[in-house]
Each structure stands twice: as C-alpha cells, then as structure tokens.
C-alpha cells in the first residue's frame, strides 16, 4: 500500500482537518492533566522517525522531537550537514534508502518539490515540516489556538486579516480558513501577493458550497476592516536575506500596531497571531507582548499539532479518526 502523506492542509478533507484539531486539543488536555491517552502511549515504541531539516528551526524541531519521544519513539534528527538531502544524491535515492530504515520522515526543505519527491518515492509517511509553499503543522497549531480562544462552535464566520508577506505560512492558513468557514483577507504590497497558481490551488481546496471568502488588497486597512484576528509573519524569510533592504522598503506601513488596527476598523476584541520567529518590523512590542497576543499559546500548540499529525499519519497510517 502507498503510504499517505501530509504535505499541505489541502491534503485533508474538512472533517479530517477538524479531527486533527480535536485530537490535538483532547491530547493536550489529557497529557497536561497527567494522563497519557491510550491512543498515544507507546504507539511509536521501537520506531525511528527521521527528522530531516535542510533549514534551521526552533519550534518545528523541538515540537516534533518531543512529540515522537512522548509516544515512545526515537526521533533521529538529521540536519543539512548530516545527510545528502538534495545534495550529492538524488531525492529518489535518499527517499528510497531512508524510508527502508525508518517508520516516517518529517522533512523541512527548500522548494516544495523536494518534499513532494521524498513523498512520491517513500515507502513510509512523509510529513512536511515546512517547504517554500506550505506549513501544515503550523496551520493545525493555529486553528487549535483559534478554537481555544473563540470557542470551537464560533470559529465559522470569523474573519482573519493577514497583513504582510504572502508566504508558505499564509498559503496553508488560507486553505485551513476556507475549509473551516473562516474569511481571510490578505494585504500584501504589490509584487508580494499570492502567486496566481497558488491562489487557484487555495480556492480549489475550499469545500463545495463554502461561503468563506479569500480577498486580496494592497491596503492593510482594507484587509483589517471587521477582522477578529490579525496575523503576520516575517517579511524576510530564510533564504531572502539578500533582499532585506528592498523588502523593508516595500513593506513600509504594514507593521501591525494598535493604531493600524484602529485605523483599519478591526473588531474591538481582535487578537494577534504570529508563527514566530518574530522581528519588530512586522509587529510592534505593544501588540506582540500585549493582551491581544496569542503567540505563545500558538507556539506551544505546535507540540499538540505534531502529536496529532503523527498519530493520524504514522500510528493510524493516514486514517484520521
Ligand atoms: N513557526 C516555525 O515553524 O518556527 P521554526 O522555524 O522555529 O520551526
């Protein structure tokens, strides 16, 4: 049997996505009260999970290592200096060889094709730990946080405003929003918007009959109007360091502040999210560390998201129940 992989939230039905969120939340409650659920206890015992990271990481590395350990497995961290991931060996060879020795691969790569190729040739499940196009583990954690904050029953009908660079974190978040009935408005400067092919993919991933909308603008205030949640990410992702000066200039006026939210007409109760790592240019300290900020619960939820994804794709072999 071909294994089932998690490369993007687009790979999930709305029901499967909701189930991953519910499992993450219920495991969080149980484990924090000192009970390891039977669905997890020892389920990766004797199994090795390869964590193949071509790029640095704090949250994704720590959460996936801790998640594997909590289920009794062995997380084998393989950094860019350790293995021939996309260097000196084809991805086909790497995938066939590593998947013959481990129970799953969790991979952080550069181009999305790299993780797609690993998955194509792997005999075990592959979980995308961030590619140039998608970051599904982040979106699971984000929606766990949104459900905790607003109440599971009140998520449908919320409005998210993404203000900043249209990047991989946004793409999976937008897919998640449309699957959950959440409107998402994106404000990005000209030249930094969602690429047309990605926009098509996001819209195509919406369930039939969904009334949730994806809208785009170059004006932050337009996206913010009536929003419940303001979200941003770094303006300079890994690998874009040489574009720093150009990007800082292009994104002027996009910093999330109380003043911008007021001017844009966010709801009085608006909350703030950011996947981290954070830089002060995209959000000021008042918002990032203030009463509206969900950033640290959101980061912690990366652990519960990783546990839920490993349970669904490795323990239960893609049968998300
Ligand atoms: N949000 C996130 O993926 O963080 P890391 O890059 O530190 O893993």
């Amino acid at each position: 049997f071909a294994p089932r992989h998690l490369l993007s939230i687009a790979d999930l039905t709305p029901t499967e996505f909701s189930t991953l969120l519910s499992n993450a939340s219920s495991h969080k409650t149980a484990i924090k009260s000192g009970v390891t659920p039977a669905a997890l206890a020892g389920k990766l015992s004797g199994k090795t999970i390869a964590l193949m990271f071509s790029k640095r990481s704090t949250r994704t590395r720590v959460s996936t290592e801790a998640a594997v350990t909590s289920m009794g497995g062995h997380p084998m961290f393989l950094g860019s200096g350790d293995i021939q991931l996309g260097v000196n060996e084809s991805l086909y060879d790497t995938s066939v060889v590593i998947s013959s020795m481990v129970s799953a691969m969790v991979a952080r790569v550069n181009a999305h094709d790299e993780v797609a190729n690993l998955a194509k040739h792997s005999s075990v499940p592959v979980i995308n730990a961030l590619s140039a196009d998608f970051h599904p583990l982040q979106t699971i954690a984000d929606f766990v946080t949104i459900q905790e904050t607003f109440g599971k029953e009140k998520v449908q009908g919320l409005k998210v405003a993404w203000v900043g660079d249209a990047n991989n974190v946004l793409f999976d978040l937008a897919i998640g929003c449309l699957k959950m009935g959440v409107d998402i408005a994106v404000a990005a400067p000209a030249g930094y918007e969602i690429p047309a092919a990605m926009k098509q993919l996001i819209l195509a991933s919406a369930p039939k009959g969904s009334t949730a909308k994806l809208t785009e603008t170059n004006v932050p205030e337009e996206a913010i109007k009536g929003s419940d949640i303001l979200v941003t990410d770094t303006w300079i992702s890994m690998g874009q360091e040489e574009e720093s000066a150009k990007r800082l200039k292009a994104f002027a006026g996009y910093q999330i502040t109380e003043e911008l939210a007021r001017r844009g007409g966010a709801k009085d109760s608006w909350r703030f999210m950011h996947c981290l790592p954070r830089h002060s240019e995209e959000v000021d300290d008042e918002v990032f560390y203030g009463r509206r900020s969900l950033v640290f619960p959101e980061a912690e939820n990366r652990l519960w998201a990783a546990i839920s994804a490993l349970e669904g794709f490795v323990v239960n072999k893609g049968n998300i129940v």
Side-chain angles (χ1 to χ4, degrees):
F1 291 104
R4 189 172 177 201
H5 311 290
L6 176 61
L7 303 189
S8 162
I9 297 300
D11 298 338
L12 301 166
T13 66
T15 303
E16 288 174 330
F17 183 40
S18 288
T19 301
L20 286 176
L21 303 179
S22 300
N23 290 346
S25 290
S26 64
H27 294 332
K28 175 178 181 178
T29 304
I31 292 171
K32 288 187 107 167
S33 68
V35 178
T36 301
L40 303 180
K43 291 293 183 184
L44 295 180
S45 177
K47 296 185 191 299
T48 297
I49 311 299
L51 309 180
M52 301 150 68
F53 280 53
S54 291
K55 292 170 145 184
R56 358 173 247 281
S57 166
T58 297
R59 281 140 290 271
T60 311
R61 176 179 177 176
V62 174
S63 61
T64 50
E65 281 210 35
V68 172
T69 305
S70 75
M71 296 159 80
H74 169 59
M76 179 186 282
F77 184 80
L78 302 164
S80 59
D82 298 323
I83 57 167
Q84 330 249 19
L85 185 59
V87 181
N88 194 38
E89 183 170 62
S90 72
L91 284 162
Y92 174 90
D93 294 0
T94 302
S95 181
V96 170
V97 170
I98 295 184
S99 69
S100 72
M101 300 175 184
V102 303
S103 297
M105 293 189 267
V106 176
R108 171 166 285 202
V109 299
N110 291 294
H112 185 71
D113 274 0
E114 295 173 31
V115 72
N117 265 318
L118 283 177
K120 186 173 171 188
H121 304 298
S122 171
S123 56
V124 297
V126 174
I127 295 177
N128 181 4
L130 182 140
S131 67
D133 289 354
F134 301 111
H135 199 357
L137 295 173
Q138 183 67 51
T139 300
I140 296 168
D142 288 353
F143 266 92
V144 169
T145 312
I146 291 170
Q147 288 188 341
E148 284 174 344
T149 305
F150 291 88
K152 200 170 164 180
E153 308 310 324
K154 294 192 177 152
V155 169
Q156 190 172 356
L158 291 176
K159 179 181 175 186
V160 167
W162 176 281
V163 178
D165 192 22
N167 66 10
N168 44 7
V169 174
L170 165 66
F171 303 152
D172 253 341
L173 179 65
I175 292 167
C177 283
L178 298 188
K179 286 192 190 293
M180 298 299 282
V182 171
D183 288 339
I184 178 159
V186 178
Y192 297 91
E193 300 107 328
I194 306 173
M198 182 56 71
K199 188 171 177 183
Q200 271 188 345
L201 189 155
I202 294 167
L203 294 174
S205 72
K208 276 200 172 61
S210 166
T211 53
K213 294 185 297 290
L214 165 67
T215 53
E216 286 189 278
T217 174
N218 302 124
V219 181
E221 289 86 342
E222 282 179 16
I224 288 169
K225 194 169 176 50
S227 59
D228 299 279
I229 308 165
L230 272 59
V231 192
T232 192
D233 190 5
T234 181
W235 296 341
I236 303 152
S237 292
M238 284 181 276
Q240 297 172 335
E241 291 79 2
E242 284 182 5
E243 298 174 34
S244 292
K246 188 174 149 217
R247 283 178 164 265
L248 288 174
K249 199 168 158 201
F251 285 86
Y254 279 71
Q255 187 194 43
I256 295 186
T257 61
E258 285 282 349
E259 167 52 23
L260 177 65
R262 211 170 15 250
R263 218 171 47 240
K267 288 199 180 134
D268 288 343
S269 54
W270 69 273
R271 308 301 297 268
F272 175 72
M273 296 178 69
H274 189 306
C275 64
L276 312 181
R278 167 257 182 174
H279 308 91
S280 55
E281 60 258 21
E282 70 260 11
V283 54
D284 71 0
D285 281 357
E286 183 186 12
V287 170
F288 186 80
Y289 293 111
R291 66 192 166 92
R292 300 180 183 282
S293 179
L294 299 173
V295 297
F296 294 117
E298 179 184 4
E300 181 202 322
N301 283 334
R302 293 296 310 275
L303 171 63
W304 310 109
I307 287 175
S308 181
L310 286 164
E311 178 192 23
F313 283 85
V314 185
V315 176
N316 294 332
K317 303 188 183 326
N319 184 25
I320 315 293
V321 288

